[in-house]
Amino acid sequence: MEQSWRWFGPDDVVTLAQARQAGARGIVNALHQIPYGVVWSVAEIEARKAIIADDASLGLHWNVVESLPIHETVKIGEGDLEPIFANYRQSLRNLAACGLQVVCYNFMPVLDWTRTQLAYPLPGGGTALRFNIHEYVAFDHFMLQRPGAAEGHSAEVMDRASEWFERSSQADRDRLLANIMAGLPGAYDRYDVPGLKSMLERYRGMSHDGLRANLKRFLEAVIPTAEEVGIRMCIHPDDPPRPLFGLPRICSNEEDIAFILGAVDSPSNGLTLCSGSLGANPGNDVPGIARRFADRIWFAHLRNVAKDEDGSFMEAEHLGGDTDMVALIEVLLAEEQRRKAAGSPHWQIPMRPDHGHELLDDVGKGSFPGYPAVGRLRGLAELRGVMTAVSSLRGYGA
């Protein structure tokens, strides 16, 4: 697998040189400064490519676009969408003209990945991202006051949510809102509570099937162009893989993925295998999902989570959570060998370590939540060790 690193651009406190020190060669990047729905021009794409490749001694190249965002009106199915589709198609053409071939995207309504704690304390002074179900319910039920927010939660969770809210200060509530908003990287609107309520209102009545239909419409509009220009698009699973704030989520399990890949049956309609997102669903067999859809996996996010019975979870060490990372890497390496034997020019799967712990010199540096330098370096080193061991045992690369 091609060892890669997510870099957020010139404003990222983690530098390209540090990515190379960690052992990465591929840089996963996006033009976060461009608002959703606006065309990415060739000039802007080439300018970013030049920054990444500027120091030839590093040997870095932009290998994956993460992400080319989808405008919220597409997810809602609101108004005349053809201009938005046309801009997206043009961005795909421009990326292809600049040599980019893998585009990661997601179809999560309103919010991207969602956590309630960004600095959960670890032994020795490090921190991790964490999703606490009672804090999420406190926000949804008591701060948003969303009708129906209590449905589906146990009395014990509701009691804990009520206790948290009663003892919380305004600073605690502001921090919780900021933490929930933190998963929105790049060109985005951050919401206050009234703004989030207003955004959720636009989705009133949206069902699981309705959101699916809007994704299918998007895929039908853009995948033919992706196929024409040689781009492999790959949807990122929901994070967490469950409905949030009354919004359906439609890329959370094996059945969802089967629907999406079958909606437009094309090699250009693929999957980003995110072991952490899928791993947060107790019903998901992540290596099994990877095995079933292996021929459509164009990108991999490798991370691990440790789940609690109440629905909470924490970002674990890359080899230390609930997902069998060795088994998953075996699946991905076997798929690479199958592609290579078949003569595919796209046999290698770009991977990156995801959501590392904040460790050592990371603490207090202000990196993007989940994307510190040392924590991801550790994760990549651990994953590299597994890849090396599996390849040696299986005779891959011999």
Side-chain angles (χ1 to χ4, degrees), residues 68-339:
L68 181 58
I70 298 171
H71 198 279
E72 207 69 35
T73 54
V74 174
K75 301 172 191 177
I76 299 170
E78 187 176 73
D80 179 11
L81 297 179
E82 184 49 39
I84 298 292
F85 293 150
N87 284 358
Y88 203 98
R89 289 190 291 261
Q90 189 58 51
S91 293
L92 291 177
R93 293 187 188 100
N94 293 347
L95 286 165
C98 297
L100 278 301
Q101 295 182 321
V102 179
V103 174
C104 173
Y105 71 100
N106 76 69
F107 213 75
M108 289 180 263
V110 183
L111 299 174
D112 205 304
W113 61 265
T114 303
R115 301 292 185 272
T116 63
Q117 278 185 284
L118 303 183
Y120 180 79
L122 299 171
T127 67
L129 302 178
R130 183 172 172 84
F131 179 88
N132 290 315
I133 190 68
H134 70 281
E135 291 176 332
Y136 159 72
V137 173
F139 182 84
D140 193 23
H141 184 65
F142 294 105
M143 292 174 61
L144 274 185
Q145 299 180 338
R146 183 180 65 83
E151 293 175 9
H153 299 294
S154 68
E156 189 267 340
V157 166
M158 293 304 302
D159 287 345
R160 286 165 56 209
S162 178
E163 289 169 9
W164 184 94
F165 185 74
E166 289 300 324
R167 70 170 183 267
S168 64
S169 64
Q170 187 59 49
D172 293 328
R173 297 172 191 177
D174 291 344
R175 187 180 307 111
L176 180 57
L177 171 64
N179 291 350
I180 288 171
M181 291 296 113
L184 287 167
Y188 53 79
D189 291 320
R190 287 182 182 270
Y191 306 108
D192 56 13
V193 168
L196 182 55
K197 284 182 175 181
S198 177
M199 194 65 210
L200 294 175
E201 183 63 25
R202 292 174 63 187
Y203 277 89
R204 179 189 287 271
M206 179 66 71
S207 66
H208 184 272
D209 287 345
L211 192 60
R212 266 189 173 184
N214 291 343
L215 172 56
K216 186 172 187 289
R217 180 182 177 187
F218 167 76
L219 293 173
E220 289 170 342
V222 304
I223 292 298
T225 298
E227 191 168 348
E228 173 192 332
V229 299
I231 279 185
R232 301 183 302 286
M233 294 186 61
C234 40
I235 193 167
H236 186 286
D238 302 325
D239 186 13
R242 52 168 295 157
L244 289 181
F245 306 116
L247 299 171
R249 289 200 160 188
I250 58 170
C251 191
S252 295
N253 55 41
E254 186 171 348
E255 189 268 338
D256 286 341
I257 295 167
F259 172 85
I260 293 165
L261 300 187
V264 177
D265 191 7
S266 163
S268 289
N269 179 25
L271 174 67
T272 296
L273 194 287
C274 181
S275 56
S277 297
L278 292 170
N281 183 337
N284 284 339
D285 170 9
V286 180
I289 289 173
R291 192 173 298 110
R292 177 175 176 185
F293 303 112
D295 65 340
R296 301 279 278 275
I297 295 172
W298 300 123
F299 184 32
H301 291 177
L302 299 183
R303 63 181 173 89
N304 226 321
V305 296
K307 299 183 288 294
D308 299 337
E309 289 186 4
D310 66 359
S312 302
F313 62 89
M314 187 186 79
E315 303 284 354
E317 298 173 1
H318 283 74
L319 304 183
D322 297 335
T323 293
D324 185 340
M325 192 63 70
V326 175
L328 175 58
I329 288 174
E330 284 189 296
V331 172
L332 297 176
L333 290 177
E335 172 60 17
E336 282 192 331
Q337 291 303 302
R338 185 197 67 78
R339 294 178 189 179

Side-chain angles (χ1 to χ4, degrees), residues 10-61:
D11 294 332
D12 196 333
V13 300
V14 181
T15 67
L16 290 170
Q18 289 170 329
R20 182 65 184 91
Q21 289 176 45
R25 292 294 184 96
I27 296 299
V28 177
N29 193 235
L31 303 182
H32 292 301
Q33 72 275 18
I34 299 178
Y36 293 6
V38 175
V39 173
W40 289 16
S41 71
V42 168
E44 289 167 309
I45 297 165
E46 288 290 356
R48 181 56 55 85
K49 280 184 65 181
I51 292 172
I52 292 169
D54 179 60
D55 185 344
S57 70
L58 299 180
L60 301 176
H61 70 287

